[in-house]
């Protein structure tokens, strides 16, 4: 068993609480599905959001999915000129038998443009 980091991001249409929660749930669920994970495999998850998303903490969505005992943290993404707006990103640390090259990073709803090199 190895510890691996999984990256992901999702773009939200508008800064509305339910949209942030729905998009974040979709992102977390797809990371789980794409990497054949269970909730017990998660060590921790760091969420970031761009400065234009202030209606809710992305970690709330993860808690709603059953990650209440997983350490979760939210932070603000750097404000870089020309960067994509309304984006929630995650970096999840998990225990898995997957080799590093087998890990599937998940980019949804337009966020594929952020990392075309690793987006699935």
């Amino acid at each position: 068993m190895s510890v691996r980091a999984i990256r992901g991001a999702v773009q939200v249409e508008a800064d509305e609480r339910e949209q942030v929660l729905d998009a974040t749930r979709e992102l977390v669920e797809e990371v789980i599905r794409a990497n054949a994970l269970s909730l017990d495999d998660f060590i921790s998850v760091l969420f970031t959001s761009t400065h234009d998303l202030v209606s809710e903490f992305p970690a709330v969505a993860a808690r709603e999915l059953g990650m209440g005992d997983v350490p979760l943290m939210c932070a603000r993404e750097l404000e870089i000129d020309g960067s994509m707006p309304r984006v929630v990103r995650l970096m999840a640390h998990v225990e898995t038998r997957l080799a590093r090259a087998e890990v599937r990073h998940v980019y949804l709803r337009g966020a594929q443009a952020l990392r075309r090199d690793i987006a699935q």
Side-chain angles (χ1 to χ4, degrees):
M1 197 68 83
S2 297
V3 174
R4 302 286 182 222
I6 302 173
R7 295 281 315 269
V10 62
Q11 189 173 36
V12 179
E13 287 187 30
D15 181 30
E16 296 174 6
R17 182 177 189 273
E18 283 309 311
Q19 286 197 35
V20 171
L21 293 176
D22 288 345
T24 305
R25 278 190 294 265
E26 179 184 0
L27 177 60
V28 171
E29 288 172 337
E30 185 58 19
V31 165
I32 291 169
R33 188 203 64 73
N35 292 284
L37 299 170
S38 74
L39 293 180
D40 287 338
D41 296 326
F42 284 81
I43 297 167
S44 64
V45 183
L46 171 64
F47 292 96
T48 66
S49 60
T50 51
H51 73 280
D52 47 8
L53 294 178
V54 297
S55 60
E56 186 57 273
F57 293 101
V60 169
R63 278 190 225 103
E64 290 174 351
L65 290 174
M67 292 185 158
D69 62 347
V70 176
L72 307 172
M73 180 176 279
C74 294
R76 174 73 64 216
E77 189 68 32
L78 293 174
E79 292 183 43
I80 304 299
D81 288 339
S83 61
M84 184 178 286
R86 301 175 319 280
V87 175
V88 173
R89 291 174 173 85
L90 71 71
M91 181 180 295
H93 296 94
V94 301
E95 290 184 318
T96 181
R97 296 194 189 288
L98 294 175
R100 188 182 321 238
E102 296 173 312
V103 170
R104 297 195 59 200
H105 305 282
V106 176
Y107 291 80
L108 305 172
R109 299 187 186 183
Q112 296 90 337
L114 295 170
R115 291 297 307 264
R116 294 199 187 280
D117 58 325
I118 63 173
Q120 298 285 322

